């Protein structure tokens, strides 16, 4: 990881939706990079704009500002065939394995679809590639003629991964690929993604709402709150020493296996729900739930300084992570 | 029509589930069969026997004869060969126009959507049959103008239906996923979105067969569709109105029409209750 | 006959079910209706203009008939009058101008102004439509309520079958059947026409002859008109009564499953009270909202029913015009029915909007 050009470079990305009630800025000036073969996790609670950012990376959602560069090319300047060609190289695994598979296509047809769209290979070659990819994700060819309705959640998510892999992409955007699954299946899918990175040198932008999930998966983590990145860094550092009050809150909210630690755990740092994205708080968006908020937080929006967006990052009391104490 | 119906092979939706549906389907099948076999099983519907005019039902003429001495039973059987295909053609034409228009409107939105839907609103704001009458009259009386006229007032229904389906479906993640593979908008619409809208559209189209058949027969009754001497249920009723004393000449073709429409509605009842279709 | 289109599916923003207040929504929709009304009417005239301008092979023949088209002078006059050689929008403007001056063209078959003929026929159709509507409500609502109250009973099944037959019945077949049975066989109703030819029609005030006769203080005449009205009104009324019965039944069945009924049951109210007091109200609201739509079907049904029963309304006029290929008359009749339908719908919705808060508050 030297001066090599990042595979994905997101700069100042913004996504907004116009609704009847007003404009929601779901993503508000996000910077993010993913290098080749790297796994970067994007973490934040529901509604903070993770999926919006993920979709914007694939240009499935128009950018309201900023740019997305893939392998040095600004995707925003592409359209038509070049854009479709670029899409071969970055693919997405969707949040809901149930609704992201076409109910009217069989597993075989679903996985073959990207190849057909790109007119890749002969029918026989395509069939071979589909079988190979299904093997890769741990589904045999006996699933070829099944419809999604006849699959379990974990199987569906494997189909979703196979569809994303069949074009041999360099970057996979995984939008909470495991949050809809049972815990036991979650581990299997995570292991599968790690294996794939190992075998294919795949880079991953991995979206999650739960820090614990990404701990053993990601190289780096970016924490998002209401459309902005509040903290980012290497995964081990962040777990050892979360510096933003929101990251700290997320860590103390993470499920703790040890009962004793569960009891001793500090009171929840963040009370209440995510503020209304239609009318976000002034200044630091997190101040309404932050136990350390000061008047200045309501006035000035904190920028990322040393990878943390907090006015008081140098004054906060030291954080004791329950997970560290439990021994991982 | 709260949301597109789940499950893969979508035409499963059309499978009859209740006894009433089976009855309806059997009557429909019987009429179709009779229409197909009419030339084999019945006498010449055009043969006039001036001596036998306006005979009451008898063994020789179970449905009696009309004012030209033609056998009403043969004419009723042959009438299905005109009435039923007209109903099917109307629905086919209306869906072929309405579904692509509505789907495209819902998919690309913008001015096209606005334009299509305003035209649809306008057509739906008028009593359908009256407008169809005007269009058929303008086109001149013939089978094709009757079909075109009724399809012209029916397509907005399918345009709205298809548009609604597309609007719902385009929010679904698998459509987003299809775009993410690099599929072009046209590929997404025709190959992924529309096949998913097909079951509901087909269901509604099948249920509309009754209405369409009725409308076609009504235009023929009004002299704007099938022309004499070709036997057609609506047209037969129309001719027979002039001889009210010969009730058989008008009521038998009338009952044939009613039985077919009842059968379609009987078959469709269950879907009505499920909130699908209408 | 052609069933109303399915409601538009506004599934644009599923995440945010911004529930507007029911009443606020209705009021807003009425305001929107008022705003769009002129556009709708204008759109209808444009539609009629385009149909008459582009669909017939030769507009001159269509408007003058074959005899008229042989007469070069008449053709020239026609072309000049409609400006057929001028730009399209100018032609439309001429058409609109004529419409606004009450000129609907000249009937080919009678050579009289279509406007006069329609003016004479329209009140008869309105009279018929209102009578049919009253019959359909009086028949349909109680049937629907009783069927819902005794769901799955023999009575429910029988009405279910009968109403299915009713909604499947083309008006012209039922009209023929009724004519055969009620008039020719039983002689219970008066035959074709609106008034016994030996009676003098009352002076026209409202155009509705029953009311005019009463206003003129001639109940015998009113009774005779009523006697003639029974046949077509019952035919249309029964068909739409079947429709209302089905609507009322299904809304009632849903309503009886609803929370408030369970609450009422919990309070110890008897089934009959619940049906009578609560569910009835809930069944009535959706039914009344369909009244406007029903007028479209009534007007359409009037074409065949008036023809068979000899009721001298717009429907019979349209039938005669259609069979004689009297194109100007067909077009004008369609426009009239279209405008009447739109206005009736608006009035029904306005009344409904006025009635709604009271219904909801009680
Ligand atoms: N299509 C849309 N139209 C309007 N608003 C939207 C749309 N998609 C997302 N939003 C809004 O944008 C914000 C961010 O949504 P997004 O789906 O990106 O969040 P998320 O972090 O992925 O949440 P989750 O964990 O629930 O998936 C939310 O407030 C959401 O309501
Ligand atoms: Mg999401």
């Amino acid at each position: 990881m030297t001066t090599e050009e990042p595979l994905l470079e997101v700069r100042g990305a913004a996504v907004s939706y116009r609704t009847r009630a007003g404009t929601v800025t779901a993503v508000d000036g996000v910077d993010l990079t993913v290098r080749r073969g790297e796994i970067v996790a994007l973490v934040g609670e529901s509604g903070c704009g993770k999926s919006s950012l993920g979709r914007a990376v694939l240009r499935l959602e128009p950018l309201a500002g900023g740019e997305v560069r893939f392998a040095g090319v600004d995707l925003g300047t592409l359209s038509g065939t070049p854009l479709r060609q670029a899409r071969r190289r970055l693919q997405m695994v969707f949040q809901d394995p149930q609704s992201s598979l076409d109910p009217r296509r069989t597993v075989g047809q679903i996985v073959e679809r990207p190849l057909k769209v790109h007119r890749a290979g002969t029918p026989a070659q395509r069939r071979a590639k589909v079988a190979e990819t299904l093997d890769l994700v741990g589904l045999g060819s006996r699933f070829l003629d099944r419809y999604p309705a006849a699959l379990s959640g974990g199987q569906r998510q494997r189909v979703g991964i196979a569809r994303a892999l069949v074009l041999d992409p360099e970057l996979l955007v995984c939008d909470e690929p495991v949050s809809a699954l049972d815990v036991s299946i979650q581990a299997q899918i995570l292991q599968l993604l790690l294996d794939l990175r190992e075998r294919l040198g795949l880079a991953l932008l991995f979206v999650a709402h739960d820090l614990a999930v990404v701990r053993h998966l990601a190289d780096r983590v970016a924490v998002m709150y209401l459309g902005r990145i509040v903290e980012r860094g290497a995964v081990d550092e962040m777990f050892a020493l979360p510096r933003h009050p929101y990251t700290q809150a997320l860590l103390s909210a993470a499920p703790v296996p040890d009962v004793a630690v569960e009891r001793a755990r500090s009171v929840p740092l963040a009370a209440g729900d995510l503020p209304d994205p239609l009318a976000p708080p002034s200044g630091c968006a997190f101040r309404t739930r932050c136990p350390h908020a000061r008047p200045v937080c309501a006035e000035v929006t904190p920028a990322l300084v040393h990878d943390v967006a907090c006015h008081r990052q140098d004054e906060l009391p030291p954080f004791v992570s329950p997970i560290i104490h439990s021994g991982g | 029509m709260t949301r597109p119906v789940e499950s893969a092979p979508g035409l499963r939706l059309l499978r009859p589930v209740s006894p009433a549906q089976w009855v309806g389907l059997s009557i429909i099948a019987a009429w179709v069969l009779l229409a197909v076999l009419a030339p084999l099983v019945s006498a010449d519907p055009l043969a006039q026997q001036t001596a036998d005019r306006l005979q009451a039902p008898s063994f020789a003429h179970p449905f009696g004869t009309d004012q030209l001495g033609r056998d009403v039973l043969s004419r009723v059987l042959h009438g299905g060969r005109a009435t039923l295909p007209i109903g099917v053609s109307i629905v086919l034409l209306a869906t072929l126009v309405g579904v692509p228009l509505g789907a495209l409107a819902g998919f690309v939105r913008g001015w096209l959507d606005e334009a299509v839907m305003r035209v649809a609103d306008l057509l739906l704001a008028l009593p359908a049959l009256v407008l169809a009458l005007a269009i058929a009259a303008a086109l001149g009386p013939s089978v094709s103008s009757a079909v075109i006229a009724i399809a012209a007032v029916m397509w907005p229904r399918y345009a709205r239906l298809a548009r609604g389906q597309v609007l719902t479906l385009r929010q679904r993640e698998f459509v987003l996923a299809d775009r993410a593979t690099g599929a072009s908008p046209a590929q997404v619409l025709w190959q992924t979105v529309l096949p998913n809208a097909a079951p509901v559209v087909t269901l509604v189209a099948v249920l509309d067969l009754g209405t369409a058949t009725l409308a076609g027969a009504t235009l023929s009754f009004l002299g704007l569709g099938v022309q004499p001497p070709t036997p057609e249920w609506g047209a037969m009723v129309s001719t027979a109105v002039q001889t009210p004393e010969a009730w058989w000449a008008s009521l038998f073709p009338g009952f044939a029409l009613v039985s077919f429409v009842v059968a379609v509605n009987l078959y469709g009842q269950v879907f009505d209750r499920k909130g699908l279709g209408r | 006959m052609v069933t109303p289109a399915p409601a538009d599916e506004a599934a644009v923003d599923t995440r945010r079910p911004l529930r507007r207040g029911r009443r606020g929504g209705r009021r807003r929709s009425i305001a929107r209706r008022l705003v769009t009304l002129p556009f709708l009417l204008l759109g209808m005239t444009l539609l009629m203009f385009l149909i008459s301008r582009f669909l017939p092979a030769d507009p001159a023949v269509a408007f003058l008939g074959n005899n008229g088209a042989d007469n070069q002078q008449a053709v020239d006059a026609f072309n000049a009058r409609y400006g057929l050689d001028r730009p399209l929008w100018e032609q439309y403007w001429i058409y609109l101008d004529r419409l606004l001056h009450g000129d609907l063209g000249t009937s080919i078959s009678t050579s009289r102004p279509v406007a006069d003929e329609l003016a004479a026929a329209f009140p008869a159709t309105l009279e018929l439509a209102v009578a049919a509507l009253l019959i359909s409500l009086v028949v349909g609502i109680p049937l629907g309520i009783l069927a819902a109250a005794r769901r799955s009973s023999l009575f429910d099944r029988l009405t279910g079958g009968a109403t299915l037959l009713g909604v499947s019945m083309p008006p012209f077949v039922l009209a023929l059947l009724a004519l055969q049975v009620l008039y020719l066989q039983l002689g219970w109703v008066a035959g074709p026409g609106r008034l016994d030819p030996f009676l003098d029609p009352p002076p026209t005030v409202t155009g509705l002859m029953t009311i005019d006769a009463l206003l003129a203080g001639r109940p015998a005449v009113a009774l005779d008109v009523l006697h003639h009205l029974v046949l077509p009104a019952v035919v249309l009324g029964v068909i739409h009564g079947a429709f209302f019965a089905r609507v009322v039944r299904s809304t009632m069945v849903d309503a009886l499953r609803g929370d408030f009924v369970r609450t009422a049951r919990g309070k110890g109210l008897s089934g009959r009270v619940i049906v009578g007091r609560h569910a009835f109200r809930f069944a009535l609201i959706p039914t009344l909202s369909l009244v406007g739509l029903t007028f479209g079907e009534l007007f359409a049904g009037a074409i065949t029913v008036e023809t068979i029963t000899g009721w001298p309304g717009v429907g019979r006029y349209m039938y005669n015009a259609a069979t004689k290929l009297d194109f100007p008359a067909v077009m004008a009749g369609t426009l009239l029915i279209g405008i009447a339908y739109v206005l009736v719908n608006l009035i029904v919705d306005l009344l409904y909007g006025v009635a709604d808060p009271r219904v909801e508050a009680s």
Side-chain angles (χ1 to χ4, degrees), chain C residues 152-320:
Chain C
S152 306
S153 68
L154 182 65
F155 176 79
D156 184 26
R157 293 214 190 117
L158 287 179
T159 33
T163 54
L164 186 77
L165 189 64
V167 295
S168 310
M169 190 66 93
F172 68 90
V173 173
L174 189 61
L176 263 172
L177 191 63
L179 191 76
Q180 282 291 341
V181 176
L182 297 182
Y183 175 61
L184 290 176
Q185 310 291 330
L186 300 173
W188 286 359
V189 298
R194 195 178 182 192
L195 182 65
D196 194 301
F198 296 109
L199 288 172
D200 283 333
T204 306
V205 183
T206 59
L208 310 180
M209 215 179 254
T210 37
I211 294 179
D212 284 352
L214 288 178
L215 288 179
R218 297 162 62 190
V221 172
L223 213 61
D224 187 69
V225 176
L226 219 51
H227 207 187
H228 282 90
L229 183 56
V230 168
L231 189 59
V234 162
V235 168
L236 286 174
V238 161
I239 289 175
H240 291 92
F243 170 70
F244 282 132
R246 292 178 80 81
V247 173
V248 168
R249 180 190 177 278
S250 73
T251 358
M252 281 277 288
V253 167
D254 285 349
L256 287 171
R257 283 205 202 101
D259 287 339
F260 73 97
V261 169
R262 222 169 292 136
T263 319
R265 283 235 162 84
K267 283 190 206 151
L269 294 180
S270 79
R272 186 166 303 168
V273 174
I274 291 166
V275 169
R277 244 186 242 163
H278 298 271
F280 180 66
R281 235 175 53 211
F282 276 74
L284 214 54
I285 294 171
T287 310
L288 292 181
S289 74
L290 290 172
V291 162
L293 280 179
T294 306
F295 265 94
E297 312 266 304
L298 286 174
F299 286 148
I303 296 175
T304 53
V305 171
E306 287 182 358
T307 304
I308 290 171
T309 62
W311 185 255
V314 179
R316 199 181 66 151
Y317 183 76
M318 293 273 289
Y319 171 83
N320 287 331

Side-chain angles (χ1 to χ4, degrees), chain C residues 123-148:
Chain C
T125 296
L126 201 60
E127 194 170 31
L128 169 60
V130 171
L133 182 70
L134 289 179
I135 292 175
S136 67
L137 292 174
V138 167
V139 171
I141 293 178
L143 266 188
I145 291 174
L146 287 178

Side-chain angles (χ1 to χ4, degrees), chain A residues 192-211:
Chain A
L192 171 67
L193 288 172
L194 275 175
D195 290 349
L196 289 173
R197 191 256 293 258
E198 213 55 33
R199 284 159 67 179
L200 308 173
L202 211 57
L204 249 57
L205 178 59
F206 187 96
V207 174
H209 63 252
D210 177 356
L211 262 176

Side-chain angles (χ1 to χ4, degrees), chain B residues 219-230:
Chain B
L219 281 196
S220 290
F221 173 85
L222 296 173
L224 294 170
V226 173
Q227 300 298 310
T230 312

